[in-house]
Every structure is written in structure tokens, then in C-alpha cells.
């Protein structure tokens, strides 16, 4: 479920498509940048999520957002009552689930199966993935790669809270419109 294909990664760091010397390393970088970006914006590529959820009122909140669709809503305990997903409303951006009849959820906890991710990858996320790969690729050997005095476009002079120097501010700025909502306990 990577954000970039190997061909896109090679293109982003100017490696000819026919060169295979760096394929394993590039694939590792792409897997890592996918994890980092999805930690900031939530899942990008659609995937199935199964979680246990509970509610004591009219709203149930899913843990993984954005959510695309509900698949099933079954009670954890035997004897509990299932909820037909056709009778539920999903706000995918916030991950909130409400009943269309306005009633409270009761009889839980439930095992909720749903699709999380995005129907299509926003262009700013794709560009951010390429920029992050370029940053990591160009800085992987430090000063030994040339330009020991710094000043390159991919330098990060100020650490980003929670991300240190690994994520350039320009990448985070591209991701900001898609940032996960804060989690409230």
C-alpha cells in the first residue's frame, strides 16, 4: 500500500528506470515515507480496518480516519443485537457513526469492519511523498555526498515538533490540509 511505485520513486530521485542497483533501498524508503505520511494524514490508500468500538449515546467514533464505508457492525458478546449498516450514517472525515433513526447505540461493544483511506490520492500528498523521498535520498550520506557547508534546498534548519529534522517544513505544509483531526479521549 505504498504511496509511490518503484518507477515513480526512481523518477523522483533521477535514477534511470533500467537501473536496479537501488531498488531494494528505494522500496524501503517508500515504505517508510508511507508510514510517516499516513501517521500525519491517516490512511491514504484504501484498506480494511477491524476494530472494537463502544458507545454510550448517539455517536460512535471510529479510530482510523478518513473512513470510506462501513462493512459490518456486529456485537462482540453473544446475544447482542447486530446493527444493519444501511441504517447508519458515516461521516468519513471525522469517523463518526450515527444511527439514521436518531436512536442511541445499545448492546455493544461491537466489532466494526470498515474501509479507511481515500478514494483517490490528493495531489498535495503525492507531491509531498516525492519531496520527502528526495529529501531523505539526498541527505542519506550527510556531508560525504558533497555540499558539506549546507545551504541545499533540502536542508531542514529548524526541527519540526514531533518530527525532528526528518521532515522538511515544505512537506508538512503540503500535508496540512489533510491532517488527521485531534483524538479526544
Amino acid at each position: 500500500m505504498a504511496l509511490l511505485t518503484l518507477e515513480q520513486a526512481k523518477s523522483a530521485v533521477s535514477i534511470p528506470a533500467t537501473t536496479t542497483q537501488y531498488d531494494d533501498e528505494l522500496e524501503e524508503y517508500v515504505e517508510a515515507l508511507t508510514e510517516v505520511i499516513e501517521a500525519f494524514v491517516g490512511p491514504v490508500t484504501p484498506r480494511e480496518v477491524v476494530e472494537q468500538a463502544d458507545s454510550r449515546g448517539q455517536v460512535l467514533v471510529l479510530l482510523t480516519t478518513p473512513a470510506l464505508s462501513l462493512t459490518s457492525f456486529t456485537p462482540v458478546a453473544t446475544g447482542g443485537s447486530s446493527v444493519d449498516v444501511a441504517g447508519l450514517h458515516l461521516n468519513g472525515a471525522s469517523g463518526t457513526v450515527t444511527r439514521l433513526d436518531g436512536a442511541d447505540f445499545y448492546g455493544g461493544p461491537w466489532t466494526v469492519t470498515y474501509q479507511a483511506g481515500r478514494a483517490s490520492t490528493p495531489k498535495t500528498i503525492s507531491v509531498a511523498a516525492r519531496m520527502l523521498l528526495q529529501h531523505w535520498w539526498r541527505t542519506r550520506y550527510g556531508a560525504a555526498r558533497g555540499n558539506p557547508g549546507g545551504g541545499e534546498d533540502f536542508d531542514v534548519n529548524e526541527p519540526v515538533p514531533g518530527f525532528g529534522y526528518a521532515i522538511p517544513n515544505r512537506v508538512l505544509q503540503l500535508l496540512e490540509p489533510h491532517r488527521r483531526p485531534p483524538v479526544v479521549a
Side-chain angles (χ1 to χ4, degrees):
M1 303 271 215
L3 289 177
L4 300 174
T5 64
L6 181 58
E7 292 74 25
Q8 291 169 325
K10 285 181 176 182
S11 174
V13 295
S14 301
I15 294 174
T18 56
T19 301
T20 59
Q21 176 183 356
Y22 303 104
D23 287 4
D24 291 341
E25 187 177 4
L26 274 172
E27 286 175 348
E28 188 174 353
Y29 274 60
V30 169
E31 287 176 27
L33 74 83
T34 298
E35 288 179 26
V36 167
I37 289 175
E38 288 189 341
F40 193 77
V41 302
V44 177
T45 56
R47 67 198 59 164
E48 182 177 80
V49 176
V50 179
E51 69 185 48
Q52 187 171 322
D54 201 359
S55 175
R56 301 264 190 276
Q58 292 183 327
V59 178
L60 182 136
V61 180
L62 302 174
L63 297 177
T64 304
T65 59
L68 292 169
S69 62
L70 294 169
T71 307
S72 67
F73 209 90
T74 56
V76 172
T78 29
S81 54
S82 291
V83 177
D84 183 5
V85 294
L88 301 174
H89 173 264
L90 170 65
N91 178 322
S94 66
T96 57
V97 180
T98 55
R99 293 176 56 130
L100 292 175
D101 62 9
D104 288 351
F105 286 99
Y106 58 91
W110 296 273
T111 299
V112 182
T113 304
Y114 59 100
Q115 289 291 310
R118 292 169 170 80
S120 63
T121 303
K123 297 297 182 197
T124 54
I125 292 177
S126 295
V127 170
R130 285 179 177 83
M131 289 175 71
L132 184 55
L133 176 62
Q134 290 167 347
H135 171 73
W136 285 352
W137 194 255
R138 290 180 182 162
T139 60
R140 74 191 195 280
Y141 297 115
R145 288 276 302 174
N147 198 19
E152 183 184 295
D153 185 45
F154 292 91
D155 286 347
V156 179
N157 298 320
E158 296 292 326
V160 179
F163 291 96
Y165 291 96
I167 313 296
N169 288 328
R170 68 176 102 350
V171 170
L172 291 174
Q173 289 168 346
L174 287 170
L175 298 175
E176 186 61 36
H178 309 287
R179 188 177 197 158
R180 291 177 150 198
V183 177
V184 179

